[in-house]
Amino acid sequence: LRRRSSKMRFSKMLLVLGASQALVVVPLGRHHHRTAPLMATYQVTLQMPDGETATIPCADDEFILDAAEEAGFELPSSCRSGSCTSCQGRVLAGSVSMDEQDTLEEDDIKAGYVCTCISYPESDVTIKTHQMDNFEAGIRVFDDLIVNGAPALAAAAAAVPEPLPVPPPPVVAEVPPPPPPPVVAEVAPVVAEVAPVVAEVA
């Protein structure tokens, strides 16, 4: 019995070869952190539906939802495993990585949707929270992405074809005006005046 229980405990462990080449044993629980022992901490800005904005620290091995709750913010959640839509957020700037989930398709991820319960920050990131309704309504095009600190059209969310260029108007060759009519010199008729010759008869 002791040997069997030991194997069961070991099956709930994950062996990870860390950066220091040391073998690290990480227990897997329902609410776990990333297994790789990374050290970075990023700033996560949360945009709430009431217009409130909060920036919290979040380690790169910590779920964003967990970090928000530790900072005192109650975000919607349910399964905490990426299997429902309750915790849906949308990335406006920065990048995140997610554990394996069953909710998002490729088009959803391109639109910026993330499951905050299983998402880790990979950089400073801005996330709009409470996006379950938009997600379930099938909305995939937005105009509130942030690029270099300014809003930008979510071109990556939907491939909108560029309008075809308008062809230039046809070039019409200029036809020179017709030449003026020839000038005809007016010649006055010359009438020879002939004086009558009267023969004098002696």
Side-chain angles (χ1 to χ4, degrees):
L1 292 176
R2 180 177 299 175
R3 180 177 300 176
R4 183 178 180 183
S5 62
S6 175
K7 288 183 178 180
M8 292 179 62
R9 287 197 302 270
F10 185 76
S11 67
K12 295 182 180 179
M13 299 290 183
L14 176 66
L15 301 182
V16 180
L17 189 62
S20 63
Q21 302 301 314
L23 194 61
V24 181
V25 180
V26 181
L28 292 180
R30 182 182 175 188
H31 307 299
H32 63 279
H33 287 210
R34 179 180 294 180
T35 55
L38 302 180
M39 305 294 290
T41 297
Y42 297 108
Q43 298 300 309
V44 176
T45 300
L46 304 173
Q47 289 191 3
M48 315 293 186
D50 59 359
E52 180 185 2
T53 299
T55 300
I56 61 173
C58 183
D60 60 3
D61 64 344
E62 183 178 15
F63 293 136
I64 293 174
L65 178 62
D66 291 344
E69 291 176 344
E70 290 174 4
F73 298 96
E74 288 190 16
L75 300 184
S77 65
S78 180
C79 70
R80 305 187 79 98
S81 63
S83 300
C84 72
T85 61
S86 298
C87 71
Q88 290 298 321
R90 193 159 48 80
V91 175
L92 304 183
S95 60
V96 302
S97 62
M98 283 187 290
D99 281 351
E100 185 176 351
Q101 48 80 32
D102 302 318
T103 304
L104 303 177
E105 302 292 340
E106 183 178 356
D107 290 344
D108 304 324
I109 296 174
K110 287 182 178 180
Y113 286 110
V114 291
C115 299
T116 57
C117 67
I118 56 167
S119 294
Y120 311 95
E122 290 186 332
S123 67
D124 291 343
V125 61
T126 300
I127 295 178
K128 179 170 281 191
T129 63
H130 298 74
Q131 292 297 295
M132 181 181 70
D133 291 343
N134 285 337
F135 176 81
E136 293 188 344
I139 300 175
R140 300 295 181 269
V141 181
F142 303 92
D143 60 358
D144 56 358
L145 290 185
I146 300 173
V147 177
N148 296 328
L153 180 65
V160 179
E162 295 183 359
L164 296 176
V166 178
V171 178
V172 178
E174 294 184 2
V175 179
V183 178
V184 179
E186 294 184 1
V187 179
V190 178
V191 179
E193 294 183 359
V194 181
V197 177
V198 179
E200 292 182 2
V201 179

